[in-house]
Amino acid sequence: SDKDVLKQLLTADTYPFPHNKNFGIICNTRSWFKEHRGHYGLNLKELLSGGANSRVVEIDLGKDGRGRERKKTDILITFEERAGLLTHPVWNFAHSKNDETDPVIRGKWIREKLLAGTIRDVPIEVDAKVSNDHSLTLREKFEAKVNGDAYCWSCHKKMNPLGMPFESYNELGQFRTQDKLADKPIDATGYIDGTGEEGVDGEVANAVELAHRLAKSTRVRQSFVRHAFRYWMGRNEMLSDSPTLIAADKAYVESGGSMNALVLSLVTSDSFLYRR
């Protein structure tokens, strides 16, 4: 719909799964259902009929070479525990270790990519390892290792509170409420700080709330515009690009969050037209 693009990226709770009436679930989606239907509580027949927490949307693809009507059907599945790309299994899988979650790298990504913050590299003298005690949750391990050390916490306070809400998703991105190794419930609370925006900064109960808060942030929106600038210009911004960035942000806001309007503003700017 090209409306509220950033908000949809961060908060959408519906995911499409391609389906063809003649061939059933296409690509690897059928095997995905076999593997995960028990975990997600999905019933394939119910989904195909548009029941449960899903709806079927038909997309007209026109006619094939023989003049026959072609139709593709997407199953849109709504997950209450998901909100946009930050809670998507792929994002959480990509920002995990091989056999466990990593709230530090998840929080670092949000701080740097969405909140325009900076995190220094790990100092060479720091032993960046947590306890191997499986009776403790990862949050408890970090509290014992990092929170009580002012030197470590000076950096980790920018990452851990943003990454801990994603403990609701394991290293494969699957939703969970229990830490199986520690046999304890997951504590997915966290908080956002540094934006200076009312309604954004503050404690969050889980990753879904965190994503919805970030979607309301002016800083996150301006970071989004800045990333678009870097992509289409092929370079980082400079001070002389301020008018271009301001105009692009204004175009995005006034168009109701249109990506087309944002790109059009960028490629018609002096920064783009007079690039070298």
Side-chain angles (χ1 to χ4, degrees):
S1 62
D2 196 35
K3 292 292 183 182
D4 292 323
V5 171
L6 177 60
K7 181 180 179 181
Q8 292 301 317
L9 285 173
L10 290 175
T11 65
D13 58 1
T14 301
Y15 299 87
F17 290 86
H19 172 260
N20 184 289
K21 283 187 174 181
N22 297 323
F23 300 103
I25 299 293
I26 63 175
C27 302
N28 294 319
T29 317
R30 183 175 292 280
S31 61
W32 184 92
F33 269 98
K34 287 181 180 179
E35 182 180 353
H36 297 289
R37 61 187 176 187
H39 178 81
Y40 285 103
L42 301 176
N43 182 296
L44 184 55
K45 290 183 178 179
E46 193 173 26
L47 289 171
L48 295 180
S49 65
N53 57 349
S54 68
R55 54 196 175 93
V56 177
V57 177
E58 292 188 356
I59 302 173
D60 187 358
L61 299 179
K63 296 182 179 181
D64 61 17
R66 298 181 181 180
R68 296 176 301 186
E69 294 288 339
R70 295 184 299 187
K71 280 192 175 181
K72 171 177 171 260
T73 302
D74 274 356
I75 308 168
L76 301 181
I77 306 177
T78 300
F79 295 106
E80 294 180 358
E81 69 273 6
R82 308 266 178 193
L85 65 91
L86 295 180
T87 61
H88 195 283
V90 173
W91 186 87
N92 283 280
F93 173 73
H95 296 86
S96 294
K97 295 180 180 177
N98 290 336
D99 57 353
E100 65 179 351
T101 61
D102 194 335
V104 174
I105 196 171
R106 291 173 176 179
K108 184 175 187 289
W109 192 94
I110 294 172
R111 177 66 66 182
E112 293 183 335
K113 304 299 184 183
L114 297 182
L115 294 174
T118 57
I119 307 293
R120 65 173 178 168
D121 293 335
V122 180
I124 194 170
E125 70 273 14
V126 171
D127 179 17
K129 294 180 181 179
V130 295
S131 170
N132 288 323
D133 186 353
H134 295 313
S135 67
L136 301 175
T137 65
L138 196 54
R139 179 186 286 268
E140 290 172 335
K141 293 176 183 179
F142 271 103
E143 287 177 348
K145 171 74 176 181
V146 173
N147 293 26
D149 188 320
Y151 182 62
C152 293
W153 186 240
S154 63
C155 285
H156 278 273
K157 67 181 180 181
K158 301 177 182 178
M159 302 178 288
N160 290 26
L162 294 171
M164 284 299 176
F166 297 94
E167 281 298 282
S168 292
Y169 310 96
N170 66 13
E171 66 275 9
L172 298 178
Q174 297 172 326
F175 181 73
R176 62 179 181 171
T177 58
Q178 193 81 4
D179 186 314
K180 292 183 179 180
L181 286 177
D183 193 25
K184 296 178 181 179
I186 293 293
D187 179 0
T189 58
Y191 66 83
I192 304 172
D193 68 340
T195 71
E197 300 173 65
E198 185 176 355
V200 177
D201 283 351
E203 296 183 358
V204 294
N206 49 48
V208 172
E209 183 181 354
L210 183 143
H212 279 270
R213 291 266 197 96
L214 291 174
K216 298 189 296 183
S217 170
T218 299
R219 178 179 291 231
V220 171
R221 186 191 73 235
Q222 291 174 345
S223 296
F224 177 68
V225 171
R226 181 176 298 183
H227 286 304
F229 174 95
R230 292 175 178 179
Y231 180 83
W232 268 278
M233 302 297 172
R235 61 173 176 82
N236 286 350
E237 67 284 352
M238 299 184 293
L239 185 60
S240 58
D241 295 310
S242 294
T244 297
L245 288 166
I246 293 171
D249 183 58
K250 182 179 179 181
Y252 180 80
V253 172
E254 292 182 348
S255 64
S258 167
M259 191 68 189
N260 285 335
L262 170 57
V263 174
L264 181 62
S265 176
L266 289 173
V267 299
T268 56
S269 67
D270 287 350
S271 298
F272 185 84
L273 295 175
Y274 297 101
R275 69 193 186 283
R276 293 181 179 181

